[in-house]
């Protein structure tokens, strides 16, 4: 199985801050990397697919980059509704695997 | 707009079989892949498996001996069965639609999710 390691595990940030989350798979996965936002009690929501493609309806402050063994999710200006847990997920090979999550909290 | 809704018993005893159904509304199940994912309390997301509308399946090897995913296109539903459950199977279970494009490379991702249903295994 491909192990997905996210960093940091949690972070505190203020509204308006630029936030970057990193995801490192245990082997190269090309661009087969997706990012999800998950709020308690709600369904996860895809933000980015194929490493850098913005899902329809997702605000442009979210962006994804990277390929191979290092990927980043960037929130250019953190908004109050962005406080959540973020997961990366690889679809390069089954079993599809998720990172352990990054909790973004209010500073 | 496609919506998904999970349904099924919320409480099971050890050794019983978990059975959940995901109902697709606002669209047809007769296209794309459909997946199950779970999240144990305090833990991250775990992919269980997926099914193509034609019936082809792919399961997580960690659960493969106990899991069956099936589809009923006449009802726009797909289902999850997990046998011989233990407390470790206690989780919120989500169903999701999988997209990946019509031409290779197929960058699969889960674009629509149900709200999730909590399953507790306890004696």
């Amino acid at each position: 199985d491909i192990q997905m390691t996210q960093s940091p595990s949690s972070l505190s940030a203020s509204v308006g801050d630029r936030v970057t989350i990193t995801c490192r798979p245990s082997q190269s996965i090309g661009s087969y990397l997706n990012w999800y936002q998950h709020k308690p009690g709600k369904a996860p929501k895809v933000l980015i697919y194929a490493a850098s493609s913005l899902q329809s309806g997702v605000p442009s402050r979210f962006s994804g980059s990277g390929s191979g063994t290092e990927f980043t999710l960037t929130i250019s200006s953190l908004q109050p509704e962005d406080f959540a847990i973020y997961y990366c997920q690889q679809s390069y090979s089954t079993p599809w695997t998720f990172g352990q999550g990054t909790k973004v909290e209010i500073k | 707009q496609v919506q998904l809704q999970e349904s099924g018993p919320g409480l099971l005893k050890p050794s019983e079989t978990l059975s959940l159904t995901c109902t697709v509304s606002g669209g047809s199940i007769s296209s794309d892949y459909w997946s199950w994912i779970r999240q144990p309390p305090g833990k991250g997301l775990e992919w269980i498996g997926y099914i193509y509308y034609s019936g082809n399946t792919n399961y997580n090897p960690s659960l493969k001996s106990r899991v069956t995913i099936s589809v009923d296109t006449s009802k726009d539903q797909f289902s999850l069965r997990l046998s011989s459950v233990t407390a470790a199977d206690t989780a919120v279970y989500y169903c999701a639609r999988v997209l990946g494009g019509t031409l290779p490379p197929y960058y699969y991702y889960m674009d629509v999710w149900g709200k999730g249903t909590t399953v507790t295994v306890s004696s």
Side-chain angles (χ1 to χ4, degrees):
Chain A
D1 299 5
I2 297 175
Q3 307 303 315
M4 307 296 288
T5 302
Q6 287 182 233
S7 60
S9 296
S10 65
L11 65 90
S12 295
S14 301
V15 172
D17 284 353
R18 181 181 183 89
V19 169
T20 299
I21 299 169
T22 299
C23 179
R24 293 185 174 88
S26 58
Q27 67 181 73
S28 179
I29 61 170
S31 296
Y32 292 85
L33 191 284
N34 309 311
W35 289 98
Y36 299 87
Q37 177 192 66
H38 194 194
K39 297 180 180 179
K42 296 202 170 183
K45 172 185 175 183
V46 64
L47 302 173
I48 303 288
Y49 64 95
S52 62
S53 295
L54 188 68
Q55 172 70 351
S56 176
V58 173
S60 60
R61 64 180 179 272
F62 291 94
S63 64
S65 64
S67 67
T69 58
E70 184 161 338
F71 299 86
T72 58
L73 172 70
T74 299
I75 309 172
S76 61
S77 178
L78 197 66
Q79 298 301 301
E81 60 267 30
D82 299 338
F83 293 96
I85 300 176
Y86 293 84
Y87 293 94
C88 61
Q89 176 247 330
Q90 64 82 18
S91 58
Y92 177 80
S93 66
T94 58
W96 294 342
T97 47
F98 292 84
Q100 81 279 14
T102 295
K103 187 174 185 178
V104 177
E105 299 177 298
I106 302 172
K107 181 183 282 185
Chain B
Q1 182 172 346
V2 172
Q3 293 183 308
L4 306 180
Q5 178 67 58
E6 305 89 349
S7 59
L11 181 62
L12 293 171
K13 291 181 168 53
S15 80
E16 292 184 332
T17 295
L18 177 158
S19 293
L20 298 176
T21 296
C22 183
T23 301
V24 179
S25 60
S28 173
I29 202 169
S30 296
S31 65
D32 301 313
Y33 290 83
W34 305 88
S35 188
W36 287 97
I37 306 97
R38 70 180 183 179
Q39 184 173 34
K43 296 187 177 182
L45 298 165
E46 179 183 29
W47 175 73
I48 298 171
Y50 66 62
I51 188 166
Y52 194 49
Y53 74 95
S54 61
N56 293 338
T57 56
N58 193 317
Y59 301 137
N60 192 322
S62 68
L63 299 168
K64 189 172 184 177
S65 63
R66 298 193 292 130
V67 69
T68 302
I69 299 176
S70 58
V71 64
D72 186 337
T73 55
S74 67
K75 296 181 179 179
D76 283 326
Q77 293 178 334
F78 64 106
S79 300
L80 170 70
R81 285 175 58 86
L82 184 66
S83 64
S84 305
V85 298
T86 70
D89 296 309
T90 293
V92 177
Y93 285 76
Y94 297 96
C95 58
R97 182 177 71 173
V98 180
L99 294 185
T102 55
L103 295 172
Y106 300 109
Y107 292 109
Y108 293 114
Y109 64 101
M110 290 165 279
D111 77 318
V112 179
W113 296 59
K115 294 182 179 179
T117 187
T118 299
V119 175
T120 302
V121 180
S122 175
S123 56

